[in-house]
Amino acid sequence: MSSESAHEHPFLNWHGVWAIYRFEMARALRTLWQSLVTPVLTTSLYFIVFGGAIGSRMQEVDGVGYGSFIVPGLIMLSLLTQSIANASIGIYFPKFTGTIYELLSAPVSAMEMVIGYVGAATTKSVIIGLIILATAACFVPLHIAHPFAMFAFLILTAVAFSLFGFIIGVWANGFEQLNFVPALLITPLTFLGGAFYSIDMLPQPWRTLSLANPVVYLISGFRWSFFGQGDVAVGISLAVTAAFLVACLVVIALIFKTGWRMKN
């Protein structure tokens, strides 16, 4: 195979992926100050409200200081919402402006397009998650029992929900629909998923019902990486997260195969 044909048919068009990734990251840099200040202020307010009001009455949860206990939930709350928001607006905007047709006709495959948009959304979400972690360390003592597992859960969750956000961006017909799922589904599920308490504290049948909430497994696995304990086994948490990621990949593959909401 000649060098010219190898260039025309690469396994992956990294130039196309990099162009999409760089464009999305440049869009984030234009609102860098807002992107940095908002999570810091929000995290500080959570610690003032929850740490001050609830922490004064609930000193420890499962042997962990309450202020430290809520850190994984705070990070997960922002990670889920930011991953969805970043990925959904990334793919929705080309649809809104009509430039999606240029993107679809460009020498970029569906996989390369997804890698570019989801990669940028994941990067931004992980950075915000780390900023929240650094902010939390200013308020409470933190010890991460399994740092590699913490980063693995952080990245895996960000990728999974960035893929979910990509689906929402394709599905949405307006800015109201973009905010519908994060505001009315993800945020309530996170609050009810043990972000600020252990589901073991709930009476029956509420504890059993909580296990039907998929966010419980994300938060539990992430909390395990900090304190070595969670509401459910870490293997189950990892399996649920991976299953959600695979399900999103299947849906995205069907979207590009059928052209649903992409070409009309």
Side-chain angles (χ1 to χ4, degrees):
M1 180 182 292
S2 66
S3 59
E4 182 179 355
S5 59
H7 178 74
E8 289 177 354
H9 303 283
F11 175 71
L12 197 64
N13 181 3
W14 287 111
H15 293 292
V17 172
W18 175 244
I20 296 172
Y21 180 89
R22 186 176 58 185
F23 177 82
E24 285 298 296
M25 292 304 295
R27 183 171 60 82
L29 290 175
R30 289 194 291 270
T31 58
L32 180 63
W33 181 248
Q34 177 184 349
S35 301
L36 293 177
V37 171
T38 301
V40 172
L41 288 178
T42 304
T43 304
S44 302
L45 287 172
Y46 272 117
F47 273 107
I48 292 170
V49 174
F50 283 90
I54 301 177
S56 60
R57 293 172 174 80
M58 189 187 301
Q59 297 296 326
E60 291 185 349
V61 178
D62 295 333
V64 179
Y66 184 73
S68 301
F69 180 83
I70 66 174
V71 171
L74 277 176
I75 296 174
M76 194 59 65
L77 175 62
S78 294
L79 192 72
L80 300 187
T81 54
Q82 289 294 325
S83 297
I84 292 174
N86 288 326
S88 61
I89 194 67
I91 189 61
Y92 174 78
F93 224 79
K95 287 175 54 187
F96 179 73
T97 59
T99 56
I100 187 69
Y101 301 107
E102 298 176 9
L103 192 61
L104 291 173
S105 61
V108 179
S109 69
M111 180 175 66
E112 292 158 356
M113 190 187 305
V114 172
I115 291 173
Y117 281 112
V118 171
T122 299
T123 301
K124 289 180 279 187
S125 302
V126 169
I127 290 173
I128 290 175
L130 294 176
I131 290 172
I132 293 174
L133 179 62
T135 304
C138 298
F139 288 89
V140 294
L142 282 179
H143 172 70
I144 303 174
H146 306 283
F148 291 108
M150 188 273 287
F151 277 107
F153 267 108
L154 193 71
I155 294 172
L156 187 63
T157 304
V159 170
F161 277 81
S162 293
L163 289 168
F164 186 50
F166 188 93
I167 295 170
I168 293 172
V170 173
W171 162 76
N173 281 326
F175 288 100
E176 296 83 4
Q177 290 183 336
L178 282 180
N179 297 320
F180 176 82
V181 174
L184 297 181
L185 183 64
I186 300 302
T187 300
L189 286 179
T190 306
F191 273 90
L192 296 173
F196 302 107
Y197 58 88
S198 170
I199 65 170
D200 288 333
M201 301 166 62
L202 298 175
Q204 291 292 359
W206 301 112
R207 186 191 183 281
T208 302
L209 290 174
S210 294
L211 294 176
N213 180 354
V215 179
V216 166
Y217 301 91
L218 306 179
I219 296 174
S220 177
F222 196 52
R223 183 170 285 138
W224 173 87
S225 69
F226 279 78
F227 311 121
Q229 57 189 11
D231 293 324
V232 295
V234 63
I236 298 176
S237 296
L238 185 61
V240 170
T241 307
F244 181 72
L245 189 153
V246 171
C248 289
L249 285 174
V250 171
V251 172
I252 290 174
L254 290 173
I255 287 173
F256 279 101
K257 184 177 181 180
T258 61
W260 179 74
R261 293 282 178 100
M262 294 286 284
K263 299 178 180 179
N264 52 20

